[in-house]
């Protein structure tokens, strides 16, 4: 059978960003400001998936434009570019919790040591470590502090106690948007012989992460936040150093080399990062993720990050104009795409749940976290959306 590959849809470069929101239908009559939570699908991903479904309908798993090894290689290539690491260090999972659990249950930690996680951390970076408490390993929380510098002081104190085996940290706090100095964190961990593990869900695609410079043992993150991927798909990074002698706790059909040949049964495991792919995967999600990464790559990963900061800056100005205060006011020199509104010059006006409900009536999606009203824009947000949100907030403040 001769297969004729289809022409994959291209994505324009958008040199000035104007009109890019047309590729995100959610923005047609609403304003989605929860891109650090979940991200609606783009028409580009829809087009790519439609093409895949058409080929799959004709050719089954032999769809000529979407060979599984090629798509996997492309995804790993894009992620390795974002993280400045080798593609062999990248694996694909379903979500952060799965990746963290697989890693946590596959390693050894000496009794009497401690694991440190961030205060008010997302559960995906807490629950996977709890089983160690039954094995004589401590699980403690580091106070965030009011600024990134204060956090580093708190971290230095904890690591200086000499018993911290793993620091599992989110480089960006999911509730407040505070961004930590990961180069300083990495150096502190190295000085104190502590392994650095990263929950990258709020960081990857949002802030620069150079794993060529940072000494990171393991990282797991969701595809559906700043990378605009599908719900139910995640990525892991396992450093080459950590890969030495690493063997996953579970062994599945896809854990071994030449896994498509089912007999004889095999004992030779795949390279460490690939071990996280246990068996048959949801290839539909892979196509969706591939399309999103291809789109972001076309626009430029660094350029996309800068656009996120630019749009966040527009919102920051609008929010300040209306008398609101932000978490990031305490660290104005640090770039973040997560805006956490903490108060208003008239304290009676700041009721986060009430503001969220009011905005929802205006088809503006936000979130409330730790008593803060959280907004997180992405490239789908243009100037007119900022204006619309500012007008809605002004109407809220002017209510009798």
């Amino acid at each position: 059978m001769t297969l004729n590959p289809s022409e994959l849809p291209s994505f324009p470069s958008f040199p000035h960003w104007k009109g890019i929101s047309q590729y995100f239908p959610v923005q047609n009559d609403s304003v989605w400001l929860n891109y650090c939570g979940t991200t609606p699908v783009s028409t580009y991903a829809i087009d790519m998936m439609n093409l895949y479904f058409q080929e799959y309908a004709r050719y089954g798993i032999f769809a000529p434009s979407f060979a599984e090894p090629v798509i996997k290689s492309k995804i790993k290539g894009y992620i390795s570019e974002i993280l400045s690491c080798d593609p062999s260090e990248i694996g694909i999972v379903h979500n952060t919790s799965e990746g963290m659990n697989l890693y946590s249950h596959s390693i050894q930690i000496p009794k009497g040591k401690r694991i440190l996680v961030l205060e008010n951390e997302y559960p995906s970076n807490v629950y996977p470590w709890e089983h160690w408490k039954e094995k004589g390993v401590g699980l403690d929380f580091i106070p965030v502090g009011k600024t990134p510098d204060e956090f580093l002081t708190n971290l230095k104190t904890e690591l200086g106690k000499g018993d911290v085996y793993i620091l599992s940290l989110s480089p960006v706090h999911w509730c407040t948007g505070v961004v930590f100095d990961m180069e300083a964190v990495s150096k502190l961990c190295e000085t104190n012989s502590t392994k650095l593990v990263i929950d990258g869900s709020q960081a990857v695609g949002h802030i620069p992460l150079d794993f060529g410079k940072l000494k990171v043992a393991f990282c797991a993150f969701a595809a559906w936040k700043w990378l605009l991927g599908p719900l139910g798909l995640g990525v892991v990074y396992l450093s080459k150093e950590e890969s030495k002698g690493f063997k996953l706790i579970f062994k599945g059909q896809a854990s071994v080399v030449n896994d498509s040949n089912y007999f004889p049964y095999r004992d030779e495991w795949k390279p460490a990062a690939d071990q996280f792919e246990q068996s048959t995967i949801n290839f539909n999600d892979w196509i969706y993720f591939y399309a999103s990464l291809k789109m972001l790559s076309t626009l430029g990963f660094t350029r996309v990050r800068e656009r996120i900061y630019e749009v966040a800056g527009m919102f920051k100005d609008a929010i300040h104009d209306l008398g609101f205060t932000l978490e990031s006011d305490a660290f104005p020199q640090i770039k973040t795409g997560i805006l956490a509104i903490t108060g208003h010059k008239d304290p009676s006006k700041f009721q986060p749940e009430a503001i969220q409900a009011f905005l929802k009536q205006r088809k503006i999606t936000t979130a409330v976290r730790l008593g803060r009203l959280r907004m997180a824009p992405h490239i789908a947000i243009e100037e007119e959306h900022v204006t619309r949100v500012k007008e809605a907030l002004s109407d809220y403040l002017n209510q009798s």
Side-chain angles (χ1 to χ4, degrees):
M1 177 174 62
T2 301
L3 302 183
N4 298 310
S6 305
E7 184 176 347
L8 297 179
S10 60
F11 193 81
S13 58
F14 277 99
H16 305 297
W17 299 105
K18 187 64 178 175
I20 195 169
S21 61
Q22 296 173 13
Y23 282 82
F24 296 84
V26 72
Q27 304 296 165
N28 289 345
D29 65 346
S30 63
V31 184
W32 188 269
L33 285 176
N34 195 28
Y35 283 92
C36 72
T38 60
T39 52
V41 66
S42 67
T43 57
Y44 181 67
I46 292 171
D47 290 344
M48 189 74 78
M49 293 186 74
N50 281 340
L51 178 58
Y52 166 65
F53 287 138
Q54 290 167 16
E55 286 196 1
Y56 192 78
R58 291 185 63 193
Y59 306 112
I61 62 170
F62 302 109
S65 300
F66 300 95
E68 180 183 320
V70 174
I71 297 300
K72 182 177 183 178
S73 176
K74 293 285 187 182
I75 291 173
K76 293 174 73 168
Y78 286 133
I79 298 297
S80 65
E81 180 183 345
I82 294 170
L83 297 179
S84 299
C85 65
D86 193 274
S88 66
E89 296 173 299
I90 300 299
I92 303 175
V93 292
H94 295 103
N95 49 61
T96 307
S97 287
E98 180 181 271
M100 284 291 186
N101 266 299
L102 288 172
Y103 174 76
S104 177
H105 284 270
S106 299
I107 61 174
Q108 299 297 319
I109 301 178
K111 189 175 181 179
K113 294 292 186 177
R114 289 193 297 152
I115 301 165
L116 282 182
V117 296
L118 196 62
E119 177 186 41
N120 296 318
E121 177 62 282
Y122 194 77
S124 292
N125 194 21
V126 178
Y127 297 159
W129 303 110
E130 288 183 338
H131 70 100
W132 282 107
K133 293 190 291 184
E134 301 172 359
K135 302 167 185 175
V137 175
L139 177 61
D140 294 329
F141 296 85
I142 319 164
V144 176
K146 295 182 179 180
T147 66
D149 287 340
E150 188 175 334
F151 166 75
L152 284 177
T153 299
N154 295 337
L155 178 61
K156 187 175 182 180
T157 299
E158 287 299 319
L159 294 183
K161 295 176 182 178
D163 61 349
V164 179
Y165 192 81
I166 284 178
L167 168 66
S168 191
L169 180 68
S170 293
V172 182
H173 198 289
W174 67 291
C175 296
T176 66
V178 61
V179 177
F180 304 114
D181 184 341
M182 292 310 297
E183 288 195 29
V185 169
S186 178
K187 289 176 182 176
L188 280 173
C189 286
E190 194 168 1
T191 299
N192 291 278
S193 301
T194 298
K195 284 188 179 183
L196 176 58
V197 171
I198 286 179
D199 175 347
S201 289
Q202 292 301 343
V204 180
H206 172 199
I207 65 169
L209 284 176
D210 187 342
F211 284 6
K213 293 180 180 178
L214 305 177
K215 191 172 182 181
V216 179
F218 178 78
C219 173
F221 54 93
W224 59 85
K225 298 182 185 291
W226 299 102
L227 296 179
L228 305 178
L231 283 167
L233 194 69
V235 178
V236 295
Y237 160 87
L238 191 71
S239 71
K240 290 182 178 179
E241 181 66 27
E242 191 74 357
S243 294
K244 295 175 182 177
F246 182 88
K247 184 178 287 187
L248 208 62
I249 188 173
F250 298 118
K251 185 178 184 180
Q253 170 266 321
S255 301
V256 297
V257 296
N258 299 322
D259 56 285
S260 59
N261 294 323
Y262 305 125
F263 298 107
Y265 299 129
R266 290 172 171 77
D267 292 324
E268 184 181 354
W269 288 60
K270 286 182 178 178
D274 281 337
Q275 292 176 21
F276 285 82
E277 181 189 326
Q278 293 283 294
S279 188
T280 307
I281 43 80
N282 185 342
F283 196 56
N284 300 338
D285 283 349
W286 283 26
I287 303 302
Y288 183 161
F289 195 31
Y290 163 67
S292 296
L293 291 171
K294 184 177 175 65
M295 174 178 65
L296 294 173
S297 176
T298 299
L299 295 168
F301 294 122
T302 299
R303 185 166 166 259
V304 166
R305 285 199 303 267
E306 290 301 323
R307 177 59 176 176
I308 291 170
Y309 303 146
E310 182 181 10
V311 177
M314 297 179 199
F315 276 109
K316 186 174 183 178
D317 291 342
I319 289 166
H320 280 154
D321 287 347
L322 295 172
F324 289 100
T325 56
L326 292 163
E327 190 88 25
S328 57
D329 291 343
F331 44 94
Q333 74 283 3
I334 297 176
K335 295 178 180 179
T336 179
I338 298 178
L339 301 164
I341 302 177
T342 55
H344 189 265
K345 60 184 180 182
D346 179 355
S348 67
K349 295 287 188 180
F350 185 64
Q351 304 294 331
E353 289 83 4
I355 301 173
Q356 181 192 33
F358 184 89
L359 294 178
K360 186 176 181 180
Q361 292 177 347
R362 299 291 184 94
K363 296 185 177 181
I364 299 169
T365 301
T366 59
V368 175
R369 297 289 184 268
L370 289 180
R372 299 153 173 86
L373 182 72
R374 189 187 72 183
M375 298 180 177
H378 210 296
I379 57 172
I381 301 293
E382 299 189 53
E383 284 79 354
E384 56 264 35
H385 299 114
V386 180
T387 300
R388 179 173 169 178
V389 173
K390 184 176 183 180
E391 290 174 350
L393 286 172
S394 178
D395 289 346
Y396 169 81
L397 293 172
N398 291 328
Q399 291 180 115
S400 56

